Amino acid sequence: MPEVNPETPKARSADDKITAFGPLRSPVFRMLWLTWLAANTTMWMNDVASAWLMTSLAPSPLWVALVQSASTLPVFLLGLPSGALADILDRRRFLMLTQFWVATIATITCTVLVMGWMTPGLLLALTFANGVGLALRWPVFAAVVPEVVSRTQLPQALALNGVSMNASRIIGPLVAGALIASFANPAWVFGLNAILSIGAGIVIMRWKREHKESPLGRERLTSAMRVGVQYVWQSGRMRAVLIRIALFFLHSTALLALLPLLARSLPGGQAGTFTVLLASMGAGAIVAALNMPTLRKWLPLQTLVFAGTATQAAAMLVVGFANSIYFAVPGMIVAGVAWITVANSLTVAAQMGLPDWVRARGMSIYQMALMGSTAAGAALWGKVADMTSIHDSIGIAAGSSVILMAIAQRLVTDRGIEEDLTPSHVFKVPHAEAPPAQGRIQTSIEYRIHPARTAEFLDLMQESRRSRVSQGAIDWQVLQDLYEPGRIVEQITDESWTEHLRRFDRVTAADVALRDRKLAFHIADEPPIVTRMLVDR
């Protein structure tokens, strides 16, 4: 299990009073929260400066929208390997190195601007490189938070992370806008980014987190990635969450991607106008984040997601067709409320559907869906704006978001079953005098079932298939004896002996409950016969 600081709420009582600010009582969470605030502030400063700079270098809607794509595409491309690394490596060191990476890119960008070498293509390349840092740091941060807060406080901790994200959405644009307005050169923004990122890296360096290596050694990267994908694919909850988050951000990103041009089109539109609009969205998101515990009590997940999507669409129309900043600002505030409502609701659902051992990989896939749809949406709505107009692009995005989310709500359902994902060590770990160095391992479990209950048992075995594959098995089959009714054999194939043993480390209380349900069908006096064979290639 992950190491937990004894000062954190998780090491105390899980029954601590649930309040919006409760997780901040933990010194470690407080440190991480402030570091995340600084990291997100640099991200927004970078995005604002880059987007505004592009309006001068290449002011077409497509080029400006591509800044958003360049910023988010790395998360889609690198999300899975970064999540696997975060589950394998020392998370403290990994998080620290991502901050130093961002600082390096900010320093290079500042130097290029000072030397006057910046071009549209180079700006996109540097924005992409900065996005690599975001791609690497997000999964590890998402996996660290559940280590330092209790499960009951996790929704509040995630809401506070939303506050951090949206406070940075206010602070970052305001600081960036002030520097651009004062010095007429975004180089100052990137210089400050470098300083803040180095400071955040040093703070993380001082965190006294003990990294515990598995007795089985580190997982191979390719194997870790495969298992992460298998777990998410086998989880009905995660599939439903991924579809909803992808649809929401595919459409809602139209507003952010085209916002620099919308700001310029307003009367007296300048860098300050763009900053005020972004800050307004951040303010609305903070208000919603602080009230998320109440909203979750009032409305179920699906209702929150659809209501948030419809509200976001309405806010986009208000901002997209506003002829004055006095109409655009309220629209951005409402957009911020809707944005955090949907994002936080789905993030909590994803976190609650993942056990600790695969959390970083699962959340990296979640972030890939989010950022991949954001990158695709920015390019899509930028192209639509090029072909029609900015206002038409916003209108089409708003309308299609509501229609497609309504279809998804009807066709893609979450079973709503809360599985107990608490780690369990009930299963006896097998021992081998001479463990095979290579080769696949095939495990057979022979059950004796009353013939009249065979169909019922085979239905339950489909849950067993999902459980085994989620834990990392590369193949699963169920066999019925043609000549002896009621004799059923479950076969599980693992990549190697080491990967076979890893599955025992991944057993949860829900897996134990499933084992007991299967044993309830077994009618023989002796337990099911288990054999393990080395597959001869």
Side-chain angles (χ1 to χ4, degrees):
M1 288 184 61
E3 287 296 299
V4 179
N5 188 298
E7 296 181 329
T8 66
K10 194 168 187 176
R12 297 199 303 265
S13 170
D15 298 322
D16 286 349
K17 184 179 179 182
I18 298 175
T19 63
F21 296 99
L24 289 173
R25 291 197 297 266
S26 162
V28 176
F29 179 78
R30 198 161 56 241
M31 177 274 292
L32 288 170
W33 188 85
L34 291 171
T35 303
W36 195 237
L37 176 64
N40 287 323
T41 298
T42 63
M43 179 188 73
W44 283 107
M45 289 170 63
N46 185 89
D47 285 356
V48 168
S50 299
W52 195 255
L53 180 60
M54 186 62 83
T55 62
S56 300
L57 295 173
S60 80
L62 181 58
W63 275 102
V64 174
L66 284 175
V67 172
Q68 182 85 356
S69 295
S71 176
T72 55
L73 188 59
V75 180
F76 178 75
L77 297 177
L78 302 176
L80 186 55
S82 67
L85 288 172
D87 275 331
I88 296 171
L89 304 177
D90 184 337
R91 289 173 177 172
R92 179 187 67 86
R93 291 185 179 181
F94 193 34
L95 187 57
M96 177 187 68
L97 289 174
T98 63
Q99 292 305 114
F100 292 142
W101 169 274
V102 171
T104 301
I105 300 304
T107 302
I108 294 172
T109 306
C110 179
T111 303
V112 169
L113 280 169
V114 170
M115 299 302 294
W117 297 336
M118 189 62 74
T119 64
L122 182 55
L123 177 59
L124 289 180
L126 290 169
T127 302
F128 182 90
N130 184 74
V132 169
L134 175 64
L136 295 176
R137 79 185 181 199
W138 198 92
V140 66
F141 184 82
V144 161
V145 171
E147 288 186 17
V148 298
V149 298
S150 66
R151 186 175 177 86
T152 55
Q153 289 281 6
L154 183 58
Q156 285 64 246
L158 296 177
L160 285 171
N161 288 345
V163 172
S164 172
M165 169 68 78
N166 289 284
S168 67
R169 191 196 292 268
I170 297 173
I171 298 169
L174 286 175
V175 173
L179 289 174
I180 293 171
S182 300
F183 298 101
N185 190 341
W188 291 87
V189 176
F190 297 106
L192 181 57
N193 274 359
I195 294 171
L196 289 174
S197 298
I198 290 172
I202 292 173
V203 170
I204 296 169
M205 188 188 301
R206 298 180 61 189
W207 176 21
K208 303 299 182 183
R209 177 188 183 272
E210 181 184 352
H211 175 63
K212 232 179 183 181
E213 289 282 358
S214 168
L216 298 173
R218 291 179 179 175
E219 288 183 74
R220 292 186 299 110
L221 180 60
T222 53
S223 179
M225 291 166 59
R226 172 185 61 79
V227 174
V229 171
Q230 285 182 198
Y231 186 92
V232 170
W233 181 252
Q234 295 300 323
S235 169
R237 166 156 295 182
M238 286 300 297
R239 289 201 305 271
V241 166
L242 292 178
I243 290 173
R244 286 163 173 75
I245 201 68
L247 283 176
F248 180 76
F249 277 90
L250 177 70
H251 296 90
S252 65
T253 194
L255 181 59
L256 284 177
L258 298 173
L259 194 61
L261 296 173
L262 288 171
R264 275 197 184 275
S265 69
L266 292 173
Q270 298 294 331
T273 308
F274 180 42
T275 299
V276 168
L277 293 177
L278 273 179
S280 299
M281 187 175 186
I286 289 175
V287 171
L290 294 176
N291 289 281
M292 282 306 298
T294 303
L295 287 174
R296 276 192 294 271
K297 289 179 182 178
W298 286 351
L299 299 170
L301 174 64
Q302 294 209 58
T303 304
L304 273 176
V305 171
F306 186 74
T309 301
T311 304
Q312 173 78 19
M316 287 170 61
L317 291 174
V318 170
V319 177
F321 291 89
N323 56 10
S324 166
I325 193 172
Y326 299 108
F327 291 105
V329 165
M332 290 299 290
I333 292 173
V334 173
V337 170
W339 183 88
I340 199 64
T341 298
V342 175
N344 180 261
S345 298
L346 292 174
T347 300
V348 170
Q351 286 276 21
M352 292 297 189
L354 293 167
D356 288 341
W357 65 267
V358 76
R359 191 176 301 279
R361 279 166 281 186
M363 291 309 294
S364 72
I365 294 172
Y366 171 86
Q367 189 71 354
M368 286 170 64
L370 190 158
M371 290 297 188
S373 59
T374 298
L380 169 65
W381 303 118
K383 183 63 176 177
V384 172
D386 255 350
M387 296 170 59
T388 56
S389 71
I390 298 172
H391 305 299
D392 288 344
S393 183
I394 292 288
I396 296 170
S400 62
S401 68
V402 176
I403 294 170
L404 292 178
M405 186 63 77
I407 294 173
Q409 296 282 74
R410 178 175 292 274
L411 298 182
V412 185
T413 58
D414 177 4
R415 294 184 303 166
I417 300 173
E418 275 289 342
E419 293 183 323
D420 186 352
L421 300 179
T422 306
S424 173
H425 300 286
V426 171
F427 291 2
K428 185 178 178 180
V429 180
H431 174 71
E433 293 296 332
Q438 57 184 0
R440 296 180 175 181
I441 303 298
Q442 186 174 83
T443 304
S444 297
I445 306 173
E446 182 178 321
Y447 299 91
R448 296 287 178 162
I449 309 299
H450 193 288
R453 303 190 68 189
T454 298
E456 187 181 353
F457 181 73
L458 291 177
D459 287 340
L460 180 61
M461 290 302 285
Q462 291 307 308
E463 290 190 40
S464 186
R465 178 195 61 79
R466 182 183 64 82
S467 173
R468 308 291 192 186
V469 176
S470 294
Q471 293 166 353
I474 60 175
D475 190 31
W476 180 95
Q477 297 180 73
V478 62
L479 311 176
Q480 296 185 67
D481 194 321
L482 289 175
Y483 301 103
E484 194 173 345
R487 179 174 178 263
I488 297 176
V489 179
E490 180 183 17
Q491 287 189 342
I492 310 108
T493 305
D494 293 300
E495 189 176 29
S496 65
W497 178 256
T498 300
E499 293 306 311
H500 175 63
L501 297 181
R502 286 194 201 282
R503 283 203 295 110
F504 289 83
D505 286 340
R506 296 164 180 169
V507 172
T508 66
D511 295 317
V512 176
L514 175 60
R515 187 275 310 267
D516 293 341
R517 289 164 61 198
K518 289 187 291 185
L519 289 180
F521 283 85
H522 185 65
I523 59 176
D525 294 332
E526 297 297 323
I529 299 172
V530 179
T531 57
R532 294 179 175 86
M533 307 291 286
L534 178 65
V535 178
D536 186 3
R537 294 184 180 180

